[in-house]
Structures are given as C-alpha cells and as structure tokens.
Amino acid sequence: MVKKVPVKVDGRELTLSNLDKVLYPDHGFTKAEVIDYYSRIAPVLLPHLQGRPLTVKRYPNGVTGQFFFEKNAPEHTPGWVRRVNLPVPGSTKNRESIDFAVVEDLPTLVYYANLAALELHVPQWRVDDDGEALPPDTLVFDLDPGAPATIVECCEVALMLRDVLKAEGLTARPKTSGSKGMQLYADWDCREEPSAYAKRLAQFLEKERPKQVVSVMAKKVRPGKVFIDWSQNNPAKTTVAPYSLRAREQPTVSTPLTWKEVEGCERPEDLVFTAPDVLARVEKHGDLFGRA
C-alpha cells in the first residue's frame, strides 16, 4: 500500500509518497532523506538550475533498480511548475519538441525529489523569460579517469587545465562529478563555438602531456589516462548539476571544491562527499561554486 503524506511547501500543495522507501540500500538512505537533502541544499542549488531545462535520472526502486532518463515533464506535473517547449533535433523518440521542466523554486525541487529523480542534469545554456534558448553561458570540461587512473590523476590534469584557461582569460571552478571523476567550469563569453574551443584546449593538453591526457573517446586509448571530454559543450548535452545527488552505492554529491582541495588530493577518498558532508560544507563555506 502506497503511503501518501500531504504537505505544503512555500504555499504549494504536494503529496509525498513512500517516504520510508530505501533508495540507497547499502546505506539505508531513504526517500525522506533524499527530499530532506534537496530541501536543505536548495538555497545554493537552485541558482545553478535557474533557467536551465531539466533532464533527470529517476530511480523509483532505488540505485540498485532500473532507472530511466526523463526530459519531458510528466503528464501529472503540477500546473505551477515552469515548463518550456524546445526543439529536440535528432530525438530518439522522433519528437520535434519537448516540454522541459525548469526547476526554479523549492516546491518544484521537492516535487522531483518525490519522483525519485536522484540526479539532476542541465545544459550549459539557459532560456529567457519567454522560454527562448539563450547562447551558452558556461564552458565545461568533464575529466574522466581511465582505470587505474582515479580522481587523483584528474586533479593533476585539472590544475594543468586551470592554467591553460587562466592564460585564455578564463577562471576555472572545480567540482567532483560525485562519481569517478570531476568537472571544471568557466563562465563563457561566446568568443567562438564552445565545443570547438574546448576540443582545441583538450588536444593542446594531450599534445603537451600525452602520458596523462587523452582527448578522444575511444576506450582503448584511455587506461591510466584522463579523458578530457570537451563534447559536453554540445547544446544537446547536459552535465550533472552542482549539488546534485548521484546514484552510486552511497548518496554522493557532485560537490564544488576549493583549489586547495584539488592541489592536496592524494587518495580518491579525499574527494568523496555524501549528502550530509555537503550540507555541512555549505554551512561552513557557502556556495563554493558561486560566480567567480
């Protein structure tokens, strides 16, 4: 029997369900705790979701069960959730456009948390007040380690990339992916097409440090190296949002970092942060991923 609990969040009425369902079995982390995390992290998370069409990964039976990506806002989405209709060329479902949700307030965030939307993914561009897509405002590099490389090696490459970006007049901000790797972000001024620009920088570092860096996706060339995924800047792609949970064995979070933490990383465990860890970090430091 589905247990339903009516609640009011900032004046919006919601019905929460199955709050005691365990979504992270290895840690006994329940749906109630997922909703609590997203509710408490909202002040620093929501600015990074503002105006960005949402893609979620939903895990209705927890992280060990089946999941699905969802771009289209569900039919039962409340009328007060902001939606924008955007073209999706090349859709696998042959749709010309999709009604994306845009998470801009606490009730919408709680609504999605209640759907077991553990992971929140957004593009590097926003929409305007009329729902029209704006030019990209963010450049992102996804650093993916090929075993036996880990996030320790990602940190080494991140420091190289930080210096390259600085020479280009861009200030990099690091965060963990919440999984194996990490990402670097920089505010983007549209000086050129972002994927082409990011690819050129990745290829430059690959040429400079061929034993550490690879810029191509082929798995066979990646063992022991860090793949700089420049393709995340394609307007059709999304990246996990800062402060989003990840569907790993434990409730890890894509966590903004200080450069001191990146410089001092000696073991992969040094940069693993769970939901409670991140709430404590934000309490202490505020949003480390604020605009540079």
Side-chain angles (χ1 to χ4, degrees):
M1 181 177 174
V2 177
K3 297 179 183 176
K4 296 186 177 182
V5 180
V7 297
K8 191 170 276 193
V9 181
D10 286 357
R12 302 293 189 187
E13 294 183 355
L14 288 158
T15 301
L16 306 182
S17 60
N18 290 330
L19 293 175
D20 57 354
K21 178 179 274 191
V22 176
L23 297 182
Y24 291 83
D26 287 356
H27 288 260
F29 202 77
T30 64
K31 189 201 272 194
E33 290 173 290
V34 168
I35 294 171
D36 177 69
Y37 167 74
Y38 274 127
S39 298
R40 294 168 62 193
I41 205 68
V44 293
L45 167 60
L46 288 173
H48 300 295
L49 302 180
Q50 186 85 23
R52 299 192 191 274
L54 181 71
T55 297
V56 295
K57 283 176 78 174
R58 288 176 57 184
Y59 290 78
N61 295 306
V63 297
T64 56
Q66 290 189 318
F67 71 90
F68 58 96
F69 280 93
E70 190 167 65
K71 294 176 180 287
N72 217 26
E75 287 184 10
H76 50 74
T77 303
W80 41 261
V81 171
R82 185 184 180 193
R83 276 166 281 194
V84 293
N85 187 266
L86 295 166
V88 283
S91 166
T92 55
K93 297 184 179 178
N94 295 317
R95 293 180 292 203
E96 292 185 4
S97 65
I98 283 179
D99 282 322
F100 288 88
V102 183
V103 178
E104 298 185 321
D105 56 32
L106 180 57
T108 306
L109 188 58
V110 171
Y111 169 75
Y112 269 99
N114 185 60
L115 294 181
L118 300 182
E119 297 192 4
L120 311 176
H121 296 248
V122 290
Q124 309 315 315
W125 48 272
R126 301 177 191 260
V127 294
D128 62 18
D129 291 342
D130 296 322
E132 296 294 321
L134 296 168
D137 63 349
T138 307
L139 188 72
V140 64
F141 295 87
D142 191 14
L143 308 184
D144 187 11
T150 66
I151 198 170
V152 176
E153 285 72 27
C154 288
C155 286
E156 295 170 2
V157 172
L159 292 168
M160 301 175 207
L161 192 50
R162 176 186 66 173
D163 293 343
V164 172
L165 288 167
K166 185 177 181 180
E168 294 275 320
L170 298 171
T171 301
R173 303 187 300 276
K175 72 176 175 74
T176 71
S177 68
S179 182
K180 303 177 304 200
M182 63 187 297
Q183 286 115 16
L184 290 195
Y185 284 57
D187 292 344
W188 182 239
D189 53 14
C190 294
R191 61 184 70 176
E192 61 180 275
E193 200 281 316
S195 280
Y197 178 85
K199 182 178 183 180
R200 190 166 71 251
L201 264 56
Q203 290 175 329
F204 168 76
L205 272 179
E206 181 181 43
K207 187 176 179 182
E208 290 285 305
R209 301 293 182 103
K211 293 183 178 180
Q212 292 171 277
V213 176
V214 63
S215 69
V216 295
M217 208 166 284
K219 296 278 188 185
K220 63 182 181 182
V221 299
R222 288 166 60 180
K225 299 182 182 182
V226 174
F227 170 45
I228 301 179
D229 189 353
W230 46 267
S231 72
Q232 293 295 111
N233 295 285
N234 182 317
K237 289 199 171 186
T238 60
T239 304
V240 66
Y243 303 107
S244 171
L245 285 165
R246 299 306 304 267
R248 306 293 289 176
E249 295 82 7
Q250 55 182 330
T252 54
V253 172
S254 183
T255 309
L257 301 168
T258 66
W259 279 110
K260 187 175 181 180
E261 288 174 314
V262 175
E263 291 163 357
C265 179
E266 296 179 351
R267 306 169 304 147
E269 308 86 69
D270 292 344
L271 297 182
V272 175
F273 302 102
T274 63
D277 297 332
V278 171
L279 289 168
R281 284 169 66 84
V282 169
E283 184 74 24
K284 183 177 180 181
H285 300 294
D287 181 13
L288 290 173
F289 223 58
R291 291 276 170 181

